[in-house]
Amino acid sequence: MNLKHIVILIIFSYWALWGYSQRICRSLNDNWMFRFSHQVEKGTEVRVTIPHTWNAQDALSGKLDYKRGIGNYERTLYIDSQWKGKRLFLRFEGVNSIANVFINGKCLGEHKGGYSAFVFEITDKVDYGKNNKLLVRVSNAERLDVMPLVGDFNMYGGIYRGVELIVTESACISLQDYASSGVYLTQQQVSADEAEISAAVLLSNRLEKRDVVVRVEVKDGQRVISQHEQQVTLEKEKEEKVVFPVKIRNPHLWNGKRDPFMYQTETTLWSDERLLDKVVQPLGIRFFRIEPDKGFFLNGEYLKLHGVCRHQDRPELGNALRKEHHEEDTHIMLEMGVNAVRLAHYQQSEDMYDLMDKTGIIAWAEIPFVGPGGYDDKGFVDFPDFRENGKNQLRELIRQNYNHPSICFWGLFNELTEYGDNPVEYIKELNILAHAEDSSRPTTAASNQNGSLNFLTDCIAWNRYDGWYSNNPENLAEFLDNTHAAYPDLRIGISEYGAGASIYHQQDSLSRPAPVSFWHPENWQTYYHMENWKIINERPFVWGSFVWNMFDFGAAHRHEGDRIGINDKGLVTFDRKVKKDAFYFYKANWNPEPMLYIAGKRNQNRVSLVQDIMAFTNANEVELLINGKVIGKAFPDQYATVMWKGVKLDAGENKIQVRATAKKKCLLDECVVWVNSTK
């Protein structure tokens, strides 16, 4: 045997001894056959790839009675005979909203809740060395025992997030603690000088009693900065929790967008110096607080949280998104200068929370305890199964996302009412549960009314639409000041504020439209956001504010704007192709990168010869030109807005240009408008 063959043999032996012992994760996203439950005849199934929803067309067409029923997903699953003696798990990241899983015709169990991951063990349920039949019956039917009962968004049906098969040794880091990682990193005491962290590891053993070693390493790149290990005796068919106190001197802090630095923790399980299992989790060390008078502080420094809310659907896809869609959404938010996001109204993709960690965007994560808003129906029924389902979804949200440094708030409800079955006592129970699950983060909620609901969570925020559904923007200032004066110890935020806009609806004058109408002019949305943001920004006690919404989204019951089935309050169109004027207002205020944008450029056909020209820019000085003629220079106000009033245009075609220099970069924006009047 030559040297080359000896090396190959050594490598193969090393892999067999070490690599094959670690868990195997295999995607099961392909080769599914789908049919509706009413399609009982043979040959009706169609091949689909996960992520998949059956509502991508009917719900987004504004069909009020879009399909809410049962769909069947089937595929074969080959189980390698070499996996005998190991453990096999199926992990689903998201199935909306009820999943019953079968293997070879036998039911493994049911999961209730459309937005959280779940796991079933199939070790004893499969035939080894053969193809096995996997069936998932999915229902998005209306139920009174599963959150949410109602919502201003579509309840898509399907296996709309990824599925994988996970193979482990008989002793492993647990996958079955509410589908979490099995590793919990609790930041107990953190300062710039030292971080005290509790690392809890949940171990699971299926076969004989055995001695194992569990090791936790904190790494900065490849450098190990902290290492702890402990020998544990695992009993047969038992779980064991091991807790390590971890101290890090002079920690490199996760500091939001300024410096989203993360360590990595590698948790490994060993037996007789053989690696059994490994789990890698992020560790972003940070500390924060909220003061009633001064707002949010990250690592001891004040941080004005200016953010957006985000839904998880798109045209032609519904909620069946892939990683690249979450990445694009995050990129657009970063372009606008967002530093916080409310991931509403439900647990969102694991990819999204990972992206928030990596980019430094502070996140509010919440369960789908959603009230009716301005619609009929009710978000709460005082029914034991419903109450337990909500608690279960809260446990899943927290345990599955426990280690994400970006998450600073657990949200407990949105727009509930105290009429009829009163949810107050139940929310108190949820609040206690959230603190028991995670004492390191505060709870919050989104309210739209007065009452006891506003005093149950650690901090509270309001959904306000002053200047859209009612009142005027100045009413927001009155509300905030009066509430803060009446309840000086209350931590007050704005969880939603927004107005609808169609890029196809343009007007010369500024007039408020009827919200429930087919006329949503873009310039009113721009005005709304300019006025509301000024009010919010001038009040440091507002711990955070979140625009509703970052993107237009599907809501089948909406019959308004430029089409049915869409809530058009987004700052970006549903297809992510067009950024509305209000987007650029926020970009000029929140993103320090040089920019210049003429507002109203889509209003190409105008009536009056005398126009006000407005632009958003973070340059110090800008210049306006009409048809090549310099009209004059102007200086942006403190909200990055510049206005030339009473500018005379020519009848017919006009070329409008605004130019500036910022940070040695030449800026130019221009548009062409047509004036149809000689007045």
Side-chain angles (χ1 to χ4, degrees):
M1 182 180 293
N2 61 34
L3 180 60
K4 179 179 178 180
H5 290 136
I6 292 173
V7 172
I8 292 173
L9 180 61
I10 292 172
I11 292 173
F12 178 80
S13 300
Y14 180 88
W15 172 83
L17 179 63
W18 299 88
Y20 195 73
S21 299
Q22 298 178 40
R23 65 173 60 181
I24 301 167
C25 300
R26 291 192 174 175
S27 171
L28 300 181
N29 287 346
D30 58 354
N31 297 319
W32 290 86
M33 302 302 293
F34 172 78
R35 64 179 176 86
F36 287 114
S37 60
H38 62 265
Q39 295 174 311
V40 295
E41 63 273 21
K42 293 182 179 180
T44 56
E45 62 274 4
V46 295
R47 186 178 298 275
V48 299
T49 299
I50 306 302
H52 174 263
T53 178
W54 61 72
N55 294 124
Q57 300 301 323
D58 61 345
L60 292 175
S61 68
K63 189 172 183 285
L64 288 173
D65 57 343
Y66 61 89
K67 175 68 175 180
R68 296 194 68 177
I70 297 175
N72 294 335
Y73 293 83
E74 296 183 68
R75 61 159 288 165
T76 58
L77 177 60
Y78 180 75
I79 302 298
D80 197 319
S81 59
Q82 296 185 54
W83 291 342
K84 285 185 178 180
K86 297 184 183 294
R87 300 179 71 177
L88 283 67
F89 303 88
L90 293 174
R91 189 178 194 275
F92 297 80
E93 196 198 336
V95 179
N96 206 13
S97 56
I98 312 293
N100 287 271
V101 183
F102 301 78
I103 196 82
N104 297 326
K106 296 180 180 178
C107 185
L108 296 174
E110 180 178 67
H111 180 262
K112 297 180 179 179
Y115 305 101
S116 49
F118 58 94
V119 170
F120 288 116
E121 184 167 4
I122 60 173
T123 304
D124 291 335
K125 310 295 184 182
V126 296
D127 295 324
Y128 290 85
K130 297 181 180 179
N131 279 325
N132 292 257
K133 184 178 179 181
L134 176 59
L135 166 66
V136 185
R137 289 175 62 88
V138 181
S139 173
N140 69 334
E142 297 174 276
R143 300 269 295 252
L144 288 180
D145 59 341
V146 181
M147 285 182 182
L149 301 183
V150 67
D152 186 13
F153 53 94
N154 292 333
M155 311 294 180
Y156 300 98
I159 305 177
Y160 72 99
R161 293 183 189 151
V163 185
E164 60 182 351
L165 170 68
I166 302 175
V167 183
T168 73
E169 292 294 302
S170 60
C172 63
I173 299 167
S174 179
L175 289 89
Q176 293 180 289
D177 189 33
Y178 292 89
S180 74
S181 68
V183 177
Y184 300 96
L185 307 171
T186 304
Q187 303 188 32
Q188 296 177 316
Q189 295 290 331
V190 177
S191 70
D193 299 322
E194 184 177 74
E196 295 182 10
I197 297 162
S198 171
V201 183
L202 192 62
L203 305 176
S204 178
N205 183 40
R206 187 171 179 274
L207 297 181
E208 72 279 354
K209 178 179 177 180
R210 65 195 303 177
D211 292 328
V212 296
V213 173
V214 59
R215 180 181 301 154
V216 174
E217 294 180 331
V218 180
K219 291 186 172 183
D220 179 356
Q222 296 301 313
R223 182 170 65 95
V224 177
I225 64 169
S226 180
Q227 179 176 303
H228 305 266
E229 67 177 49
Q230 184 175 331
Q231 184 170 322
V232 182
T233 299
L234 296 180
E235 302 292 336
K236 181 180 179 180
E237 296 182 351
K238 295 288 186 180
E239 290 198 338
E240 182 81 22
K241 180 186 284 188
V242 184
V243 181
F244 299 93
V246 177
K247 285 190 178 183
I248 300 175
R249 300 282 185 183
N250 302 313
H252 187 161
L253 298 178
W254 184 92
N255 201 22
K257 288 175 62 178
R258 183 188 300 177
D259 184 12
F261 173 83
M262 287 184 289
Y263 298 98
Q264 295 293 322
T265 59
E266 287 189 4
T267 304
T268 50
L269 187 64
W270 303 80
S271 178
D272 297 326
E273 298 186 351
R274 185 168 73 95
L275 179 61
L276 300 181
D277 201 5
K278 180 170 75 170
V279 169
V280 178
Q281 286 289 286
L283 175 60
I285 299 174
R286 79 286 185 270
F287 59 98
F288 61 92
R289 71 181 190 273
I290 305 167
E291 295 187 6
D293 279 328
K294 299 179 181 179
F296 184 84
F297 289 77
L298 177 63
N299 300 330
E301 295 185 13
Y302 175 72
L303 179 63
K304 184 77 173 181
L305 294 184
H306 47 72
V308 295
C309 300
R310 187 250 190 183
H311 266 301
Q312 64 174 13
D313 62 346
R314 287 190 176 218
E316 301 177 357
L317 296 173
N319 62 349
L321 305 186
R322 298 181 182 273
K323 185 176 181 179
E324 56 265 29
H325 300 122
H326 304 298
E327 289 173 339
E328 183 183 22
D329 282 5
T330 302
H331 176 77
I332 293 171
M333 288 191 286
L334 289 172
E335 180 191 344
M336 197 174 81
V338 163
N339 69 4
V341 63
R342 179 184 173 209
L343 295 172
H345 288 300
Y346 37 72
Q347 184 172 333
Q348 299 201 10
S349 167
E350 293 167 2
D351 288 331
M352 200 65 192
Y353 297 113
D354 287 341
L355 286 163
M356 299 303 97
D357 293 343
K358 293 173 183 177
T359 58
I361 297 176
I362 303 291
W364 163 343
E366 63 187 55
I367 57 173
F369 195 8
V370 183
Y375 297 92
D376 288 336
D377 218 325
K378 187 165 174 60
F380 173 65
V381 290
D382 197 3
F383 182 53
D385 286 357
F386 177 84
R387 294 169 72 112
E388 183 53 38
N389 177 255
K391 291 181 179 180
N392 194 63
Q393 291 199 50
L394 181 58
R395 291 187 192 98
E396 290 174 325
L397 172 73
I398 294 175
R399 296 194 191 187
Q400 290 171 21
N401 299 287
Y402 195 88
N403 300 325
H404 289 291
S406 60
I407 297 177
C408 293
F409 308 94
W410 299 123
L412 300 188
F413 69 84
N414 178 80
E415 293 193 351
L416 294 177
T417 67
E418 298 183 34
Y419 171 78
D421 282 347
N422 192 325
V424 165
E425 293 305 314
Y426 179 55
I427 294 169
K428 290 179 182 178
E429 294 177 17
L430 292 177
N431 199 54
I432 292 170
L433 175 60
H435 289 148
E437 290 288 325
D438 179 12
S439 60
S440 68
R441 294 178 175 96
T443 57
T444 190
S447 177
N448 67 340
Q449 62 168 339
N450 296 320
S452 301
L453 289 169
N454 302 327
F455 305 94
L456 304 177
T457 51
D458 298 323
C459 50
I460 188 67
W462 271 270
N463 298 346
R464 299 287 303 189
Y465 291 90
D466 301 276
W468 181 244
Y469 289 119
S470 61
N471 304 328
N472 295 303
E474 54 266 26
N475 293 107
L476 175 61
E478 181 181 354
F479 167 80
L480 289 172
D481 291 340
N482 289 345
T483 304
H484 184 52
Y487 308 102
D489 295 328
L490 197 62
R491 298 172 176 89
I492 297 170
I494 296 295
S495 40
E496 296 178 18
Y497 68 107
S502 166
I503 60 172
Y504 305 110
H505 295 172
Q506 304 295 332
Q507 59 185 6
D508 282 18
S509 60
L510 184 65
S511 58
R512 176 177 161 184
V516 186
S517 73
F518 289 105
W519 178 246
H520 283 181
E522 186 178 10
N523 70 343
W524 184 263
Q525 184 196 55
T526 307
Y527 166 78
Y528 170 96
H529 279 289
M530 292 171 64
E531 296 305 307
N532 276 262
W533 171 244
K534 292 173 186 177
I535 291 166
I536 293 168
N537 185 57
E538 290 164 5
R539 286 158 176 81
F541 63 82
V542 176
W543 61 260
S545 60
F546 302 85
V547 173
W548 189 266
N549 202 324
M550 186 71 232
F551 308 100
D552 293 347
F553 61 93
H557 57 273
R558 290 269 173 177
H559 290 74
E560 60 192 45
D562 60 35
R563 62 195 140 152
I564 61 175
I566 297 295
N567 186 319
D568 64 357
K569 293 187 184 69
L571 301 177
V572 180
T573 55
F574 194 26
D575 59 10
R576 277 60 171 176
K577 291 182 179 179
V578 180
K579 294 153 184 152
K580 302 177 188 178
D581 286 358
F583 173 96
Y584 292 98
F585 167 74
Y586 286 115
K587 181 177 179 179
N589 281 273
W590 295 351
N591 187 342
E593 296 178 3
M595 64 84 63
L596 171 63
Y597 179 84
I598 300 172
K601 64 172 63 181
R602 277 179 285 273
N603 184 17
Q604 295 178 344
N605 294 298
R606 306 191 182 192
V607 175
S608 175
L609 287 173
V610 179
Q611 297 279 329
D612 293 340
I613 308 298
M614 182 168 65
F616 305 129
T617 183
N618 48 25
N620 293 326
E621 182 182 87
V622 290
E623 187 175 47
L624 173 67
L625 296 87
I626 303 294
N627 297 322
K629 181 182 178 182
V630 175
I631 302 301
K633 294 183 178 181
F635 304 94
D637 63 18
Q638 68 180 101
Y639 291 101
T641 303
V642 62
M643 179 83 75
W644 291 269
K645 286 188 168 292
V647 177
K648 181 72 179 297
L649 301 182
D650 296 334
E653 185 177 278
N654 292 265
K655 185 175 184 179
I656 301 174
Q657 294 176 300
V658 178
R659 63 190 182 191
T661 300
K663 296 182 180 179
K664 299 182 180 179
K665 181 178 181 180
C666 294
L667 305 175
L668 174 68
D669 195 22
E670 59 186 24
C671 64
V672 175
V673 302
W674 186 274
V675 180
N676 295 315
S677 172
T678 58
K679 295 181 181 180

